[in-house]
Amino acid sequence: MIMETSVKSNRFPELDFIRATAVVAVIIIHVTSITLTKMPADRFTFNASVILNQLSRFCVPAFLFVSGVLAFQSYKRNSYLQVIKGKIRDLIVPYLVWTSLGLVLFLSFSSNYKGIIMIYLTGNGPFYQLYYIPLLFQMFVFLPWIIKLAGSKKMVISILLINILMYVGYQTLLVGTLLSKDLVGSASTILQSTFVIWMSYFCMGVYATQNYSKLLEFIKSKPIAVVIAIYVLSAIALITDAFISFGYAKQMEIMGYFRITVLIYSFATMALLVKLGMTYKLKPITSLYRNSFGIYLIHVAVIKVIFMVSSIFFSNLLFIMLSTLLTLIVSYWCVELIKRTRISSLLLGKNNNSKKHVPVESLTSRVES
């Protein structure tokens, strides 16, 4: 009865743990990435940063999965044109504003116009996390076709297998050092902004929505010990894969998202978080997921400012934890302040343009408007 109500009311409280935890994981990835790429870290700090970085890799797959869940509901209630207009208003407008701010504040003006055009197209600029916005928008552009594909279990499995083959091919090229570092960097930039290589997560979300009650019943029927065990095993496989692959290739891209172990770990993590979400209802979790879109937009700017103040905040495990917490708190309250301004619609989307205290929708709940 509870599960059926969730679907009919377009409310998915079981996914709140996923949304809130994912936005924290995004911050962890970007904080530890600075330690791994810009700091002369000692062995312990380096290894700890790799582990934290890898355990947070479920975040973007989770955002895409939940977006797929909500996208199906949005498409049922609105026309295709209404959905696209809503995404332009609530995704593309803030994206263009934050990309422009990043270019003005953090990019040297030696970049040529072609490079700037690519930044706007891919989101890989000074605020490098913004690549997710054009990626997600692509999913909505092709939403009617994705929904048709997700209506067939065979097609969903086929898309999953295609993505797995892509990951195997990409990782093989990296481990075999068959590509130069410059070419690897360019390829990673293009791939992470292209919907095809991420398709399985979003498509699985759309498919899950059509079988939502059965999915929750399946997770509910499994003992928490079993779900935790699967999570732990997938996490061990993920971390082991990262260390072994990096040992061969010595390239940070090898520890990115496009790996089979990340895919398995992401679904195992989401299952655990849904299980927890069905059991616990915590106010901080609600606050985090409601502000997650704004936190996602703002947090890299906060990290950059912290790094400019002092690189010591990324020098060891204690400071990494402190930087993560500081970034989360500052980003959260920046969102709260922005919501009270006249420019909230430009920075956070039109739905947040209110003088009253209206909660910011989460990154994934943008698909509901």
Side-chain angles (χ1 to χ4, degrees), residues 86-173:
K87 294 317 109 190
I88 292 174
R89 177 192 65 201
D90 294 331
L91 288 177
I92 301 302
V93 171
Y95 167 74
L96 293 174
V97 172
W98 283 100
T99 300
S100 299
L101 286 174
L103 288 170
V104 171
L105 297 175
F106 294 103
L107 188 68
S108 67
F109 289 93
S110 60
S111 297
N112 57 46
Y113 72 94
K114 290 183 180 179
I116 292 176
I117 290 173
M118 285 301 296
I119 287 173
Y120 276 103
L121 289 176
T122 65
N124 287 281
F127 294 156
Y128 38 80
Q129 87 283 13
L130 294 180
Y131 77 87
Y132 179 79
I133 307 300
L135 166 64
L136 182 59
F137 187 72
Q138 291 172 60
M139 299 291 186
F140 283 102
V141 170
F142 293 98
L143 183 58
W145 295 274
I146 293 175
I147 289 176
K148 287 184 179 179
L149 292 175
S152 167
K153 182 186 293 186
K154 290 182 179 180
M155 290 304 302
V156 173
I157 293 174
S158 297
I159 291 170
L160 188 63
L161 291 175
I162 290 170
N163 275 168
I164 288 174
L165 289 174
M166 288 180 174
Y167 298 158
V168 171
Y170 181 71
Q171 194 167 12
T172 300
L173 290 174

Coordinates of all heavy atoms in Angstrom, one line a residue, residues 86-173:
G86 N 10.5 23.2 -19.5 CA 10.8 23.2 -18.0 C 12.3 22.9 -17.8 O 12.9 23.5 -16.9
K87 N 12.9 22.1 -18.6 CA 14.4 21.8 -18.4 C 15.2 23.0 -18.8 O 16.3 23.2 -18.2 CB 14.8 20.6 -19.2 CG 14.1 19.3 -18.8 CD 14.1 19.1 -17.3 CE 12.8 19.2 -16.7 NZ 12.7 19.3 -15.2
I88 N 14.8 23.7 -19.9 CA 15.5 24.9 -20.3 C 15.5 25.9 -19.2 O 16.5 26.5 -18.8 CB 15.0 25.5 -21.6 CG1 15.2 24.5 -22.8 CG2 15.6 26.8 -21.9 CD1 14.5 24.9 -24.0
R89 N 14.3 26.1 -18.6 CA 14.2 27.0 -17.5 C 14.9 26.7 -16.2 O 15.6 27.5 -15.6 CB 12.7 27.1 -17.2 CG 12.3 28.1 -16.0 CD 10.9 27.8 -15.6 NE 10.7 26.5 -15.1 CZ 9.5 25.9 -15.0 NH1 8.4 26.5 -15.5 NH2 9.4 24.7 -14.5
D90 N 14.9 25.4 -15.8 CA 15.4 25.0 -14.5 C 16.8 24.3 -14.6 O 17.4 24.2 -13.6 CB 14.4 24.0 -13.9 CG 13.1 24.7 -13.5 OD1 13.1 25.9 -13.3 OD2 12.1 24.0 -13.5
L91 N 17.2 24.0 -15.8 CA 18.6 23.4 -15.9 C 19.5 24.3 -16.7 O 20.6 24.7 -16.3 CB 18.5 22.0 -16.6 CG 17.9 20.9 -15.8 CD1 17.9 19.6 -16.6 CD2 18.8 20.6 -14.5
I92 N 19.1 24.6 -18.0 CA 20.0 25.3 -18.9 C 20.2 26.8 -18.5 O 21.4 27.3 -18.6 CB 19.4 25.3 -20.3 CG1 19.2 23.9 -20.8 CG2 20.3 26.1 -21.3 CD1 20.5 23.1 -20.8
V93 N 19.2 27.5 -18.0 CA 19.5 28.9 -17.5 C 20.5 29.0 -16.4 O 21.5 29.7 -16.5 CB 18.1 29.6 -17.2 CG1 18.4 30.9 -16.5 CG2 17.2 29.8 -18.4
P94 N 20.3 28.2 -15.3 CA 21.4 28.2 -14.3 C 22.7 27.8 -14.8 O 23.8 28.3 -14.4 CB 20.8 27.3 -13.2 CG 19.4 27.3 -13.4 CD 19.2 27.4 -14.9
Y95 N 22.7 26.8 -15.7 CA 23.9 26.3 -16.2 C 24.7 27.3 -17.0 O 25.9 27.5 -16.8 CB 23.6 25.1 -17.2 CG 24.7 24.7 -18.1 CD1 25.8 24.0 -17.6 CD2 24.8 25.0 -19.5 CE1 26.9 23.6 -18.4 CE2 25.8 24.6 -20.3 CZ 26.9 23.9 -19.7 OH 27.9 23.5 -20.6
L96 N 24.0 28.1 -17.8 CA 24.7 29.2 -18.6 C 25.2 30.3 -17.6 O 26.3 30.8 -17.9 CB 23.7 29.8 -19.6 CG 23.2 28.9 -20.7 CD1 22.2 29.6 -21.6 CD2 24.5 28.5 -21.6
V97 N 24.4 30.6 -16.6 CA 24.8 31.6 -15.7 C 26.1 31.2 -14.9 O 27.1 31.9 -14.8 CB 23.7 32.0 -14.7 CG1 24.2 32.9 -13.6 CG2 22.5 32.6 -15.4
W98 N 26.1 30.0 -14.4 CA 27.2 29.5 -13.6 C 28.5 29.3 -14.5 O 29.6 29.5 -14.0 CB 26.9 28.2 -12.8 CG 26.0 28.5 -11.6 CD1 24.7 28.4 -11.5 CD2 26.5 29.0 -10.4 NE1 24.3 28.8 -10.2 CE2 25.4 29.2 -9.5 CE3 27.8 29.3 -9.9 CZ2 25.5 29.7 -8.2 CZ3 27.9 29.8 -8.6 CH2 26.8 30.0 -7.7
T99 N 28.3 28.8 -15.7 CA 29.4 28.6 -16.6 C 30.0 30.0 -16.9 O 31.3 30.1 -16.9 CB 28.9 28.0 -17.9 OG1 28.3 26.7 -17.6 CG2 30.1 27.8 -18.9
S100 N 29.2 31.0 -17.1 CA 29.7 32.3 -17.4 C 30.5 32.9 -16.2 O 31.5 33.5 -16.3 CB 28.6 33.3 -17.8 OG 27.9 32.8 -18.9
L101 N 29.9 32.7 -15.0 CA 30.6 33.1 -13.8 C 31.9 32.4 -13.6 O 32.9 33.1 -13.3 CB 29.7 32.8 -12.6 CG 28.5 33.7 -12.3 CD1 27.7 33.2 -11.2 CD2 29.0 35.1 -12.1
G102 N 32.0 31.1 -13.9 CA 33.3 30.4 -13.9 C 34.3 30.9 -14.8 O 35.5 31.1 -14.5
L103 N 33.9 31.3 -16.0 CA 34.8 31.8 -17.0 C 35.3 33.2 -16.6 O 36.5 33.5 -16.7 CB 34.1 32.0 -18.4 CG 33.8 30.7 -19.1 CD1 32.9 30.9 -20.3 CD2 35.1 30.0 -19.6
V104 N 34.5 34.0 -16.0 CA 34.9 35.3 -15.6 C 35.8 35.3 -14.4 O 36.8 36.0 -14.3 CB 33.6 36.2 -15.3 CG1 34.1 37.5 -14.6 CG2 32.8 36.5 -16.6
L105 N 35.5 34.4 -13.4 CA 36.2 34.4 -12.2 C 37.5 33.6 -12.2 O 38.4 33.9 -11.5 CB 35.3 33.9 -11.0 CG 34.0 34.8 -10.8 CD1 33.1 34.1 -9.7 CD2 34.5 36.2 -10.3
F106 N 37.5 32.5 -12.9 CA 38.6 31.5 -12.7 C 39.4 31.1 -14.0 O 40.3 30.4 -13.9 CB 38.0 30.2 -12.1 CG 37.5 30.4 -10.7 CD1 36.2 30.5 -10.5 CD2 38.4 30.5 -9.6 CE1 35.7 30.7 -9.2 CE2 38.0 30.7 -8.4 CZ 36.6 30.8 -8.1
L107 N 38.9 31.6 -15.1 CA 39.6 31.2 -16.4 C 40.5 32.3 -16.9 O 40.1 33.5 -17.0 CB 38.6 30.8 -17.4 CG 39.2 30.1 -18.7 CD1 39.8 28.8 -18.4 CD2 38.2 30.0 -19.8
S108 N 41.7 32.0 -17.3 CA 42.6 33.0 -17.9 C 42.1 33.3 -19.2 O 41.5 32.5 -19.9 CB 44.0 32.5 -18.0 OG 44.1 31.5 -18.9
F109 N 42.2 34.6 -19.7 CA 41.6 35.0 -20.9 C 42.5 34.7 -22.1 O 42.3 35.2 -23.2 CB 41.3 36.5 -20.9 CG 40.2 36.8 -20.0 CD1 40.3 37.2 -18.7 CD2 38.9 36.7 -20.5 CE1 39.3 37.4 -17.8 CE2 37.8 37.0 -19.7 CZ 38.0 37.3 -18.3
S110 N 43.5 33.8 -21.9 CA 44.3 33.4 -23.0 C 43.6 32.3 -23.8 O 44.0 32.0 -24.9 CB 45.7 32.8 -22.5 OG 45.4 31.7 -21.6
S111 N 42.5 31.8 -23.3 CA 41.8 30.7 -24.0 C 41.2 31.3 -25.2 O 40.6 32.4 -25.2 CB 40.7 30.1 -23.1 OG 41.2 29.5 -22.0
N112 N 41.2 30.6 -26.3 CA 40.6 31.0 -27.6 C 39.1 30.8 -27.6 O 38.5 30.1 -26.7 CB 41.2 30.4 -28.8 CG 41.2 28.9 -28.7 OD1 40.1 28.3 -28.5 ND2 42.2 28.2 -29.0
Y113 N 38.4 31.4 -28.5 CA 37.0 31.3 -28.6 C 36.5 29.9 -28.8 O 35.4 29.5 -28.3 CB 36.4 32.3 -29.6 CG 36.7 31.8 -31.1 CD1 35.7 31.1 -31.7 CD2 37.8 32.1 -31.7 CE1 35.9 30.7 -33.0 CE2 38.1 31.7 -33.0 CZ 37.1 31.0 -33.7 OH 37.3 30.6 -35.0
K114 N 37.3 29.1 -29.5 CA 36.8 27.7 -29.7 C 36.8 26.9 -28.4 O 35.9 26.1 -28.2 CB 37.8 27.0 -30.7 CG 37.7 27.5 -32.2 CD 38.6 26.8 -33.1 CE 38.5 27.3 -34.5 NZ 39.4 26.6 -35.5
G115 N 37.8 27.2 -27.6 CA 37.8 26.6 -26.3 C 36.7 27.0 -25.4 O 36.1 26.1 -24.7
I116 N 36.3 28.2 -25.5 CA 35.2 28.8 -24.7 C 33.9 28.2 -25.2 O 33.0 27.8 -24.4 CB 35.1 30.3 -24.7 CG1 36.3 30.9 -24.0 CG2 33.8 30.8 -24.2 CD1 36.5 32.4 -24.1
I117 N 33.7 28.0 -26.5 CA 32.5 27.4 -27.1 C 32.4 26.0 -26.6 O 31.3 25.5 -26.2 CB 32.5 27.5 -28.6 CG1 32.4 28.9 -29.1 CG2 31.5 26.6 -29.2 CD1 32.5 29.1 -30.6
M118 N 33.5 25.2 -26.5 CA 33.5 23.8 -26.1 C 33.1 23.8 -24.6 O 32.4 22.8 -24.2 CB 34.9 23.2 -26.3 CG 35.1 22.8 -27.8 SD 33.9 21.7 -28.4 CE 34.1 20.2 -27.4
I119 N 33.6 24.8 -23.8 CA 33.2 24.8 -22.4 C 31.7 24.9 -22.3 O 31.1 24.2 -21.5 CB 33.9 25.9 -21.7 CG1 35.4 25.6 -21.5 CG2 33.3 26.2 -20.3 CD1 36.2 26.7 -21.0
Y120 N 31.1 25.8 -23.0 CA 29.6 26.0 -23.0 C 28.9 24.7 -23.5 O 27.8 24.4 -23.0 CB 29.2 27.2 -23.8 CG 29.3 28.5 -23.0 CD1 30.3 29.4 -23.3 CD2 28.3 28.8 -22.1 CE1 30.4 30.6 -22.6 CE2 28.4 30.0 -21.4 CZ 29.5 30.9 -21.6 OH 29.5 32.1 -21.0
L121 N 29.4 24.0 -24.4 CA 28.8 22.8 -25.0 C 28.9 21.6 -24.1 O 28.0 20.8 -24.0 CB 29.4 22.5 -26.4 CG 29.0 23.5 -27.5 CD1 29.7 23.0 -28.8 CD2 27.5 23.5 -27.7
T122 N 30.1 21.5 -23.4 CA 30.3 20.3 -22.6 C 30.3 20.5 -21.1 O 30.1 19.5 -20.4 CB 31.7 19.7 -23.0 OG1 32.7 20.7 -22.5 CG2 31.9 19.5 -24.4
G123 N 30.4 21.7 -20.7 CA 30.4 22.0 -19.2 C 31.7 21.8 -18.6 O 31.8 21.9 -17.3
N124 N 32.7 21.5 -19.3 CA 34.0 21.2 -18.7 C 34.9 22.4 -18.7 O 35.9 22.6 -19.4 CB 34.7 20.1 -19.6 CG 34.1 18.7 -19.3 OD1 34.4 18.1 -18.3 ND2 33.3 18.3 -20.3
G125 N 34.4 23.4 -17.9 CA 35.2 24.6 -17.7 C 35.7 24.7 -16.3 O 35.9 23.7 -15.6
P126 N 35.9 26.0 -15.8 CA 36.4 26.1 -14.4 C 35.5 25.5 -13.4 O 36.0 25.0 -12.4 CB 36.4 27.7 -14.2 CG 36.5 28.2 -15.6 CD 35.8 27.2 -16.5
F127 N 34.2 25.5 -13.6 CA 33.3 24.8 -12.7 C 33.0 23.4 -13.4 O 32.0 23.2 -14.1 CB 32.0 25.5 -12.5 CG 32.1 26.8 -11.7 CD1 31.2 27.9 -11.8 CD2 33.2 27.0 -10.9 CE1 31.4 29.0 -11.1 CE2 33.4 28.1 -10.1 CZ 32.5 29.2 -10.2
Y128 N 33.9 22.5 -13.3 CA 34.0 21.3 -14.1 C 32.8 20.3 -13.8 O 32.5 19.5 -14.6 CB 35.3 20.6 -13.9 CG 35.8 20.7 -12.5 CD1 35.4 19.8 -11.5 CD2 36.8 21.6 -12.2 CE1 35.9 19.9 -10.2 CE2 37.3 21.7 -10.9 CZ 36.8 20.8 -9.9 OH 37.3 20.9 -8.6
Q129 N 32.2 20.5 -12.7 CA 31.0 19.6 -12.3 C 29.8 19.9 -13.2 O 28.9 19.0 -13.3 CB 30.7 19.7 -10.9 CG 29.7 20.9 -10.5 CD 30.3 22.3 -10.5 OE1 31.4 22.5 -11.0 NE2 29.6 23.2 -10.0
L130 N 29.8 21.0 -13.9 CA 28.6 21.4 -14.7 C 28.4 20.5 -15.9 O 27.4 20.6 -16.6 CB 28.7 22.9 -15.1 CG 28.7 23.9 -13.9 CD1 28.8 25.3 -14.5 CD2 27.4 23.7 -13.1
Y131 N 29.4 19.6 -16.2 CA 29.2 18.7 -17.4 C 27.9 17.9 -17.2 O 27.3 17.5 -18.2 CB 30.4 17.8 -17.6 CG 30.4 16.7 -16.6 CD1 29.7 15.5 -16.8 CD2 31.1 16.8 -15.4 CE1 29.7 14.4 -15.9 CE2 31.1 15.7 -14.5 CZ 30.4 14.5 -14.7 OH 30.4 13.5 -13.8
Y132 N 27.5 17.7 -16.0 CA 26.3 16.9 -15.7 C 25.0 17.5 -16.3 O 24.1 16.8 -16.7 CB 26.1 16.7 -14.2 CG 24.9 15.9 -13.9 CD1 24.9 14.5 -14.0 CD2 23.7 16.5 -13.5 CE1 23.8 13.7 -13.7 CE2 22.6 15.7 -13.2 CZ 22.6 14.4 -13.3 OH 21.5 13.6 -13.0
I133 N 25.0 18.8 -16.4 CA 23.7 19.5 -16.8 C 23.5 19.3 -18.3 O 22.3 18.8 -18.6 CB 23.8 21.0 -16.5 CG1 24.2 21.3 -15.0 CG2 22.5 21.7 -16.9 CD1 23.2 20.7 -14.0
P134 N 24.4 19.6 -19.2 CA 24.1 19.2 -20.6 C 23.9 17.7 -20.8 O 23.1 17.3 -21.7 CB 25.3 19.8 -21.4 CG 26.4 19.9 -20.4 CD 25.7 20.3 -19.1
L135 N 24.6 16.9 -20.0 CA 24.4 15.5 -20.1 C 23.0 15.1 -19.8 O 22.3 14.3 -20.5 CB 25.4 14.8 -19.1 CG 25.1 13.3 -18.8 CD1 25.3 12.5 -20.1 CD2 26.1 12.8 -17.7
L136 N 22.5 15.6 -18.7 CA 21.1 15.3 -18.3 C 20.1 15.9 -19.3 O 19.1 15.2 -19.6 CB 20.8 15.9 -16.9 CG 19.4 15.6 -16.3 CD1 19.2 14.1 -16.2 CD2 19.3 16.3 -14.9
F137 N 20.4 17.1 -19.8 CA 19.5 17.7 -20.8 C 19.3 16.8 -22.0 O 18.3 16.7 -22.6 CB 19.9 19.1 -21.1 CG 19.0 19.8 -22.0 CD1 17.8 20.3 -21.5 CD2 19.2 20.1 -23.4 CE1 16.9 21.0 -22.3 CE2 18.4 20.7 -24.2 CZ 17.2 21.2 -23.7
Q138 N 20.4 16.2 -22.4 CA 20.4 15.3 -23.6 C 19.4 14.1 -23.3 O 18.7 13.7 -24.2 CB 21.8 14.7 -23.8 CG 22.8 15.7 -24.4 CD 24.2 15.1 -24.4 OE1 24.4 14.1 -25.1 NE2 25.1 15.7 -23.7
M139 N 19.4 13.6 -22.1 CA 18.5 12.6 -21.7 C 17.0 13.0 -22.0 O 16.2 12.2 -22.5 CB 18.7 12.1 -20.3 CG 20.1 11.6 -20.0 SD 20.4 10.0 -20.7 CE 22.0 9.7 -20.0
F140 N 16.7 14.2 -21.6 CA 15.4 14.7 -21.8 C 15.0 15.0 -23.3 O 13.9 14.8 -23.7 CB 15.2 16.0 -21.0 CG 15.0 15.7 -19.5 CD1 16.0 15.9 -18.6 CD2 13.8 15.3 -19.1 CE1 15.9 15.7 -17.3 CE2 13.6 15.0 -17.7 CZ 14.6 15.2 -16.8
V141 N 16.0 15.4 -24.0 CA 15.8 15.6 -25.5 C 15.3 14.2 -26.1 O 14.4 14.2 -27.0 CB 17.0 16.1 -26.2 CG1 16.9 16.0 -27.7 CG2 17.3 17.5 -25.7
F142 N 15.9 13.1 -25.7 CA 15.6 11.8 -26.2 C 14.7 11.0 -25.3 O 14.5 9.8 -25.5 CB 16.9 11.0 -26.4 CG 17.8 11.6 -27.5 CD1 18.9 12.4 -27.1 CD2 17.6 11.3 -28.8 CE1 19.7 12.9 -28.1 CE2 18.4 11.8 -29.8 CZ 19.5 12.7 -29.4
L143 N 14.0 11.7 -24.4 CA 13.2 11.0 -23.4 C 12.1 10.1 -24.0 O 11.9 9.0 -23.6 CB 12.6 12.0 -22.4 CG 11.7 11.5 -21.3 CD1 12.5 10.5 -20.5 CD2 11.1 12.6 -20.4
P144 N 11.3 10.6 -25.0 CA 10.3 9.7 -25.6 C 10.8 8.4 -26.1 O 10.2 7.3 -25.9 CB 9.7 10.5 -26.7 CG 10.0 12.0 -26.3 CD 11.3 11.9 -25.7
W145 N 12.0 8.4 -26.7 CA 12.6 7.2 -27.3 C 13.2 6.4 -26.2 O 13.1 5.1 -26.2 CB 13.7 7.6 -28.3 CG 13.1 8.3 -29.5 CD1 12.6 7.7 -30.6 CD2 12.9 9.7 -29.7 NE1 12.1 8.7 -31.5 CE2 12.3 9.9 -30.9 CE3 13.2 10.8 -28.9 CZ2 12.0 11.2 -31.4 CZ3 12.9 12.1 -29.4 CH2 12.3 12.3 -30.6
I146 N 13.7 7.0 -25.2 CA 14.3 6.2 -24.0 C 13.2 5.5 -23.3 O 13.3 4.3 -22.9 CB 15.0 7.2 -23.0 CG1 16.3 7.7 -23.7 CG2 15.4 6.4 -21.8 CD1 17.0 8.8 -22.9
I147 N 12.0 6.2 -23.1 CA 10.9 5.5 -22.5 C 10.4 4.3 -23.3 O 10.1 3.2 -22.7 CB 9.7 6.5 -22.3 CG1 10.1 7.5 -21.2 CG2 8.4 5.8 -21.9 CD1 9.1 8.6 -21.0
K148 N 10.4 4.4 -24.6 CA 10.0 3.3 -25.4 C 11.0 2.1 -25.3 O 10.6 1.0 -25.2 CB 9.9 3.7 -26.9 CG 8.7 4.6 -27.2 CD 8.6 4.9 -28.7 CE 7.4 5.8 -29.0 NZ 7.3 6.1 -30.5
L149 N 12.3 2.5 -25.3 CA 13.3 1.4 -25.1 C 13.2 0.8 -23.7 O 13.3 -0.5 -23.6 CB 14.7 2.0 -25.3 CG 15.1 2.5 -26.7 CD1 16.4 3.2 -26.6 CD2 15.1 1.4 -27.6
A150 N 12.9 1.6 -22.7 CA 12.8 1.1 -21.3 C 11.6 0.3 -21.1 O 11.4 -0.4 -20.1 CB 12.9 2.2 -20.3
G151 N 10.7 0.3 -22.0 CA 9.5 -0.5 -21.9 C 9.7 -2.0 -22.1 O 8.9 -2.8 -21.9
S152 N 10.9 -2.3 -22.7 CA 11.2 -3.7 -23.0 C 12.4 -4.1 -22.1 O 13.5 -3.5 -22.1 CB 11.6 -3.9 -24.5 OG 12.2 -5.1 -24.7
K153 N 12.3 -5.2 -21.4 CA 13.4 -5.7 -20.5 C 14.6 -6.1 -21.4 O 15.7 -5.8 -21.0 CB 12.9 -6.9 -19.7 CG 14.0 -7.4 -18.8 CD 13.6 -8.7 -18.1 CE 12.4 -8.5 -17.2 NZ 12.1 -9.7 -16.4
K154 N 14.3 -6.6 -22.6 CA 15.4 -7.0 -23.5 C 16.2 -5.8 -23.9 O 17.4 -5.9 -24.0 CB 14.9 -7.8 -24.7 CG 14.3 -9.2 -24.3 CD 13.8 -9.9 -25.6 CE 13.3 -11.2 -25.3 NZ 12.8 -12.0 -26.5
M155 N 15.5 -4.7 -24.2 CA 16.2 -3.5 -24.7 C 17.0 -2.9 -23.5 O 18.1 -2.4 -23.8 CB 15.2 -2.5 -25.2 CG 14.6 -2.8 -26.5 SD 15.8 -3.2 -27.8 CE 16.7 -1.6 -27.9
V156 N 16.5 -2.9 -22.3 CA 17.2 -2.4 -21.2 C 18.5 -3.2 -21.0 O 19.6 -2.6 -20.7 CB 16.4 -2.4 -19.9 CG1 17.2 -2.1 -18.7 CG2 15.2 -1.5 -20.0
I157 N 18.4 -4.5 -21.0 CA 19.6 -5.4 -20.9 C 20.6 -5.1 -22.0 O 21.8 -5.1 -21.8 CB 19.1 -6.9 -20.9 CG1 18.3 -7.1 -19.6 CG2 20.4 -7.8 -20.9 CD1 17.7 -8.5 -19.5
S158 N 20.1 -4.9 -23.2 CA 20.9 -4.7 -24.4 C 21.7 -3.4 -24.2 O 22.9 -3.3 -24.4 CB 20.1 -4.6 -25.7 OG 19.5 -5.8 -25.9
I159 N 21.0 -2.3 -23.7 CA 21.7 -1.0 -23.4 C 22.8 -1.2 -22.3 O 23.9 -0.7 -22.4 CB 20.7 0.0 -23.0 CG1 19.8 0.4 -24.2 CG2 21.4 1.3 -22.5 CD1 18.6 1.3 -23.9
L160 N 22.4 -2.0 -21.3 CA 23.4 -2.2 -20.3 C 24.6 -3.0 -20.8 O 25.8 -2.6 -20.5 CB 22.7 -3.1 -19.2 CG 23.5 -3.3 -17.9 CD1 23.7 -2.0 -17.1 CD2 22.7 -4.3 -17.0
L161 N 24.4 -3.9 -21.6 CA 25.5 -4.7 -22.2 C 26.4 -3.8 -23.1 O 27.6 -3.9 -23.1 CB 25.0 -5.9 -23.0 CG 24.4 -7.0 -22.1 CD1 23.8 -8.1 -23.0 CD2 25.4 -7.6 -21.2
I162 N 25.7 -2.9 -23.9 CA 26.5 -2.0 -24.8 C 27.4 -1.1 -23.9 O 28.5 -0.9 -24.3 CB 25.5 -1.2 -25.6 CG1 24.8 -2.1 -26.7 CG2 26.2 0.0 -26.3 CD1 23.7 -1.4 -27.4
N163 N 26.8 -0.6 -22.9 CA 27.6 0.3 -22.0 C 28.8 -0.5 -21.3 O 29.9 0.1 -21.2 CB 26.7 0.9 -20.9 CG 26.0 2.2 -21.3 OD1 25.1 2.7 -20.7 ND2 26.4 2.7 -22.5
I164 N 28.5 -1.7 -21.0 CA 29.6 -2.5 -20.4 C 30.7 -2.7 -21.4 O 31.9 -2.6 -21.1 CB 29.0 -3.9 -19.9 CG1 28.2 -3.7 -18.7 CG2 30.2 -4.9 -19.6 CD1 27.5 -5.0 -18.2
L165 N 30.4 -3.0 -22.6 CA 31.4 -3.1 -23.7 C 32.2 -1.9 -23.9 O 33.4 -1.9 -24.1 CB 30.7 -3.6 -25.0 CG 30.2 -5.0 -25.0 CD1 29.4 -5.2 -26.3 CD2 31.3 -6.0 -24.9
M166 N 31.5 -0.7 -23.8 CA 32.2 0.6 -23.9 C 33.2 0.8 -22.8 O 34.3 1.2 -23.0 CB 31.1 1.7 -23.9 CG 30.3 1.8 -25.2 SD 29.1 3.2 -25.0 CE 28.4 3.2 -26.7
Y167 N 32.7 0.4 -21.6 CA 33.6 0.5 -20.4 C 34.9 -0.4 -20.5 O 36.0 0.0 -20.2 CB 32.9 0.2 -19.1 CG 31.7 1.1 -18.8 CD1 30.7 0.7 -18.0 CD2 31.6 2.4 -19.4 CE1 29.6 1.6 -17.8 CE2 30.5 3.2 -19.2 CZ 29.5 2.8 -18.3 OH 28.5 3.6 -18.1
V168 N 34.6 -1.6 -21.0 CA 35.7 -2.5 -21.2 C 36.7 -2.0 -22.2 O 37.9 -2.0 -22.0 CB 35.2 -3.9 -21.6 CG1 36.4 -4.8 -22.0 CG2 34.4 -4.6 -20.5
G169 N 36.2 -1.5 -23.3 CA 37.1 -1.0 -24.4 C 37.8 0.3 -23.9 O 39.1 0.4 -24.1
Y170 N 37.2 1.2 -23.2 CA 37.8 2.4 -22.7 C 38.9 2.0 -21.7 O 40.0 2.5 -21.8 CB 36.8 3.3 -22.1 CG 37.3 4.6 -21.5 CD1 37.7 5.6 -22.4 CD2 37.4 4.8 -20.2 CE1 38.2 6.8 -21.9 CE2 37.9 6.0 -19.7 CZ 38.3 7.0 -20.6 OH 38.8 8.2 -20.1
Q171 N 38.6 1.1 -20.7 CA 39.6 0.8 -19.7 C 40.8 0.0 -20.3 O 41.9 0.2 -19.9 CB 38.9 -0.1 -18.6 CG 39.8 -0.2 -17.4 CD 39.0 -0.7 -16.2 OE1 37.9 -1.2 -16.4 NE2 39.6 -0.7 -15.0
T172 N 40.5 -0.8 -21.3 CA 41.6 -1.5 -22.0 C 42.5 -0.6 -22.7 O 43.8 -0.7 -22.6 CB 41.0 -2.5 -23.1 OG1 40.1 -3.4 -22.4 CG2 42.1 -3.2 -23.8
L173 N 42.0 0.5 -23.3 CA 42.9 1.5 -23.9 C 43.7 2.2 -22.9 O 44.9 2.5 -23.1 CB 42.0 2.5 -24.7 CG 41.3 2.0 -26.0 CD1 40.4 3.0 -26.6 CD2 42.4 1.6 -27.0

